[in-house]
DNA sequence: TTGTAAGCGTTATCAC
DNA sequence: GTGATAACGCTTACAA
């Protein structure tokens, strides 16, 4: 159980009959090494099972080849029943893996968590920090950026000082497409269950709803949820109480949309005959709801991959645009 | 964007007018430092914004204070629509966080992925490795353990050489409770949709089904799925074709159970009147299926926390039992 | 092309 | 109690 003695560069060098520097060159793929020597070194490496000590390497190179992904643990969305964060993790992870970088996952939320992340990043444990979601006006991204640490956010940060690059999806465009679809299919009393108003995703989806409805001269009807199924249920009940004659509802997340579907059934309304429902996310599960959910697809995996790609550019010192916005798409199924 | 010059121990020492050794003592909470000096050092630390360099520290302490969690990326369960891995991640993450350790997430699957994990661990980048799931007779846990690296597995490994400690749930017990519940409520033609037979979870749940049914002298009817909803749909269709008179089905995962529910509705069978259905997992979503799903709850979050706890013990050199088995519990809702 | 040697920023072992 | 000083294992000028 005790850590077995591990061979060092020195040991490999002795065995191969060369200097440490030469071994280092071979291990790091330098081309300026004679073929015969390279072979001898590689043989010694294999025989000894040598693997470079990462700490020693980092100490001199100032790089760790790993990237932190920060999840706001407080968010209801995290791991409850929501596949947003898992999909982000997967996307970021795959792209980093392709670049041979490691993913360090950190959850924050508490004040203490914030400090841990800051210390961790400043201690040089990672080459950069990716924020999977920003709550309110979180100062952490800015703090780290000011410290000279590469930072990128998923979703436009609500703080501007200093500006931190971000990747986001076209919330407003997707919502507009959804609401226009409802209008085009004859709906006139279109309500919405909005997302939390301390997150850009919640804010922008509501803004898209409001703008499109105003442009069409139709009345607005808004309740707010927190992206959970439970809040979709209560939100839908509230809407029905406020306006029993509503004939459509745009729901700012698929999970809330499923809640809305349940509340509508409970109230004896047919979907889509009496009330049309459109969600936002396009999770796998929405293909299987009853009825299958019409929804705005956002490319979450692609978002994760893009986040990672931008981070890699940042690390290598390349310039990147302050924002990348990915398209959304209306997926029409049976609920609207 | 360039990394700002970071203060070192040396700088703090100069500012506080003491030696590096003393600063190190203060930073590491040694008690053998005079109060006045400690204060002076702490002031200097704050003023300079000093944070210890992790690489330098690891180099000498041989510890990294981080732990790797390995996900088998090939598994259909990972991030598809399944909340098993997210729940494990969350459990492990929270417990490690409480111990001030970091979680490094790695996905494997490909041959290359295996090598990456091995190199990474051997390079001393982490203090230990937690496997979130084992596929078939994966040699990696044993390989790492032989290298002297602390290893623990979620689910009993199918290889025994060398024995690697694990945490698992009582699959057989949970399944037995489920099947006995079906028998007690008058079901006699009880089928099963089993999980993949290259994973211990799949194997043991099937074994539990078989054993209980044999003990009761009832016939067996088995098809195999891969834990996905889609395989639950096709599995249920196959069962119905094989024995149209079946009156119950135990399904080895909630996701497959939802698929089964859909296939049953499609076939015009009422649940539970015509066919009783019991799942395994107790995901949040199963409370909301139609009808709400009777299922065997396995404490996934607790499993993640236990994995982390055992790993922490391993790292500190404590003895741990070769296995910890957590209880499962039958949750009766409306589907059976 | 290869070797020598100087760090990288800590911690830990000694004396004092 | 505090301070020198020697590791820790590697990369990288600079020499040869």
């Amino acid at each position: 159980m005790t850590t077995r003695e591990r061979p060092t560069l020195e040991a490999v060098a002795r065995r191969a009959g060369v200097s440490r520097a030469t071994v280092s060159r071979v291990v790091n793929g330098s081309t300026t090494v004679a073929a015969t020597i390279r072979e001898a070194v590689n043989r010694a490496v294999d025989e000894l099972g040598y693997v470079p000590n990462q700490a020693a390497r980092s100490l001199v190179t100032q790089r760790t080849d790993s990237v932190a992904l920060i999840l706001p643990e407080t968010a209801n969305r995290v791991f409850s029943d929501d596949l947003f964060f898992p999909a982000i993790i997967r996307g970021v992870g795959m792209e980093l893996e392709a670049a041979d970088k490691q993913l360090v996952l950190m959850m924050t939320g508490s004040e203490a968590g914030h400090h841990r992340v800051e210390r961790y990043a400043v201690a040089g444990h990672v080459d950069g920090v990716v924020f999977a979601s920003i709550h309110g006006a979180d100062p952490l991204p800015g703090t780290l950026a000011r410290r000279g640490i590469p930072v990128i956010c998923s979703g436009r940060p609500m703080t501007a000082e200093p500006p931190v690059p971000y990747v986001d999806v076209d919330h407003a465009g997707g919502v507009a497409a959804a609401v226009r679809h409802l209008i085009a299919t004859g709906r006139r009393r279109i309500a919405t269950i909005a997302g939390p108003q301390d997150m850009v995703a919640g804010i922008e989806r509501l803004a898209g709803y409001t703008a499109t409805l105003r442009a069409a001269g139709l009345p607005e009807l808004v309740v707010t949820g927190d992206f959970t199924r439970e809040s979709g249920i209560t939100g839908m009940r509230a809407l029905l109480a406020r306006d029993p004659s509503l004939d459509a509802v745009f729901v700012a997340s698929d999970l809330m949309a499923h809640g809305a579907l349940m509340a509508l059934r409970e109230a004896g309304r047919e979907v889509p005959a009496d009330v049309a429902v459109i969600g936002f996310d396009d999770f796998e599960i929405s293909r299987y709801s009853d009825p299958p959910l019409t929804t705005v697809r956002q490319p979450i995996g692609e978002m994760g991959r893009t986040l990672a790609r931008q981070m890699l550019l940042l690390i290598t010192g390349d310039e990147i645009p302050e924002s990348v916005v990915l398209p959304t798409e209306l997926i029409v199924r049976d609920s609207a």
Side-chain angles (χ1 to χ4, degrees), chain A:
Chain A
M1 198 82 343
T2 68
T3 304
R4 172 189 302 203
E5 199 76 9
R6 281 209 292 264
T8 68
L9 250 202
E10 179 72 44
V12 177
R14 264 202 311 274
R15 179 159 195 129
V18 299
S19 72
R20 296 207 311 266
T22 300
V23 177
S24 175
R25 291 190 188 101
V26 172
V27 168
N28 290 290
S30 163
T31 51
T32 70
V33 178
T36 56
I37 292 204
R38 181 167 34 234
E39 268 173 43
V41 169
N42 279 328
R43 191 162 38 243
V45 165
D46 286 348
E47 287 166 1
L48 265 36
Y50 169 75
V51 175
N53 177 308
Q54 183 59 42
R57 183 177 267 179
S58 290
L59 185 56
V60 39
T61 61
Q62 307 275 38
R63 287 180 304 95
T64 64
D65 292 330
S66 57
V67 169
L69 176 63
I70 312 299
L71 303 181
E73 169 205 316
T74 46
N76 291 314
R77 305 191 72 173
V78 179
F79 302 136
S80 70
D81 188 15
D82 192 318
L83 291 154
F84 180 82
F85 287 109
I88 288 279
I89 295 173
R90 182 178 169 77
V92 172
M94 299 202 70
E95 198 71 22
L96 287 182
E97 179 171 328
D100 212 30
K101 304 270 188 242
Q102 281 318 314
L103 199 190
V104 177
L105 200 67
M106 305 187 74
M107 312 189 208
T108 82
S110 54
E111 195 55 35
H114 263 67
H115 269 90
R116 280 187 32 256
V117 170
E118 184 173 349
R119 279 186 60 89
Y120 193 75
V122 172
H125 222 317
V126 289
D127 296 340
V129 179
V130 178
F131 285 84
S133 157
I134 302 297
H135 249 262
D138 191 334
L140 189 50
T143 306
L144 295 180
R146 224 173 292 120
R147 281 272 209 168
I149 296 166
V151 171
I152 193 159
C153 294
S154 157
R156 182 166 56 76
M158 292 173 73
T159 49
E161 212 45 57
V164 170
Y166 66 91
V167 177
D168 207 345
V169 300
D170 179 15
H171 300 282
V175 176
V179 175
R180 280 200 294 262
H181 174 79
L182 292 171
I183 295 173
T185 52
R187 312 289 172 166
R188 285 302 173 267
R189 302 195 69 80
I190 304 171
T192 191
I193 302 176
Q197 294 300 298
D198 66 338
M199 296 178 72
V200 172
I203 294 168
E204 296 207 340
R205 290 174 201 171
L206 177 54
Y209 162 87
T210 303
T212 312
L213 235 41
R214 284 198 186 152
L218 291 173
E220 299 156 41
L221 180 56
V222 180
V223 297
T224 302
D226 62 3
F227 283 146
T228 63
R229 179 166 5 222
E230 203 54 50
S231 76
I233 296 176
T234 56
M236 192 66 236
R237 285 183 189 143
L239 287 176
L240 251 14
R242 291 242 293 267
D243 182 356
S245 72
L246 62 84
D247 59 10
V249 55
F250 164 72
V251 191
S253 83
D254 274 11
L255 228 44
M256 291 200 297
H258 295 138
L261 249 25
M262 297 175 67
L264 286 167
R265 183 179 313 156
E266 161 195 283
R269 310 295 174 101
E270 291 282 321
V271 174
D274 300 331
V275 178
V277 176
I278 299 186
F280 196 109
D281 276 328
D282 193 29
F283 287 144
E284 166 95 359
I285 191 183
S286 300
R287 294 219 301 264
Y288 299 102
S289 62
D290 180 26
L293 190 68
T294 292
T295 189
V296 178
R297 170 181 299 165
Q298 58 172 339
I300 307 178
E302 179 58 28
M303 189 148 160
R305 265 173 270 132
T306 306
L307 282 166
R309 242 177 276 132
Q310 299 299 92
M311 173 51 71
L312 293 172
L313 289 173
L314 232 33
I315 289 174
T316 54
D318 290 311
E319 286 292 320
I320 67 167
E322 200 203 318
S323 70
V324 175
V325 176
L326 302 175
T328 47
E329 178 193 4
L330 182 66
I331 306 293
V332 179
R333 298 204 180 92
D334 301 345
S335 70

